[in-house]
Amino acid sequence: MTQRIAVVGAGAVGGHLAARLARAGHQVSVVARGAHLDAIKANGLVFEAGEERHVANVKASARGSDLGQQDVVFVAGKAQHLPALVAEIPPLLGPETPVVFAINGVPWWYFHRFGNPRWTRIERLDPGGAIEACVPRERVIGAVIYSSNA
């Protein structure tokens, strides 16, 4: 079944993911910026690994609002760029669209559902709650390892 999939942050990780998903037959859109966005629009998303070379024709824009609602959204930007990227996510969300955060670092949703009032949003990871305001925690696909010794 073909899915509409958006990748927000089409750099090394996001671009790899987007190219592979497009090659698998999905309808892929990417949010990118600057010269990288211009190159994708002009030449497609070029994937090279060893002898393998594939050009994925994806829809590309600097704004999520240009891409429409998606079945799945992957966010692959660097953790420090997340506060600037999240404004592009809400226009991509349908009523049940999950959001997969493929970023490194401590995830902003880390303490979600622990039920301990002293474990709250970490200001440094989600300044002013801007990320959670754009992507409610209930939509996030992510994992947290919990130790009862914490």
Side-chain angles (χ1 to χ4, degrees):
M1 177 171 84
T2 300
Q3 299 260 328
R4 291 169 306 172
I5 301 173
V7 178
V8 178
V13 172
H16 182 115
L17 180 62
R20 294 277 185 175
L21 289 167
R23 189 171 191 180
H26 297 289
Q27 182 182 337
V28 179
S29 300
V30 297
V31 174
R33 298 221 157 85
H36 190 54
L37 172 61
D38 295 339
I40 294 170
K41 285 183 171 183
N43 307 311
L45 184 59
V46 179
F47 172 81
E48 293 179 350
E51 298 297 315
E52 182 181 2
R53 185 176 195 277
H54 170 70
V55 178
N57 293 312
V58 299
K59 187 173 181 181
S61 178
R63 295 184 310 271
S65 59
D66 293 340
L67 304 175
Q69 290 185 352
Q70 305 290 310
D71 296 315
V72 180
V73 173
F74 287 89
V75 181
K78 293 184 173 142
Q80 66 266 28
H81 298 147
L82 198 51
L85 289 175
V86 293
E88 305 310 326
I89 298 172
L92 301 170
L93 302 178
E96 297 184 16
T97 305
V99 182
V100 180
F101 284 85
I103 57 173
N104 60 2
V106 177
W108 61 271
W109 67 87
Y110 190 79
F111 293 120
H112 181 55
R113 295 191 182 140
F114 277 124
N116 186 330
R118 68 185 175 98
W119 291 345
T120 60
R121 178 179 54 81
I122 300 171
E123 181 66 20
R124 182 179 217 167
L125 299 178
D126 184 9
I131 299 170
E132 189 170 1
C134 289
V135 183
R137 293 178 186 188
E138 293 75 26
R139 290 184 182 254
V140 172
I141 295 175
V144 174
I145 299 171
Y146 172 73
S147 167
S148 60
N149 297 331

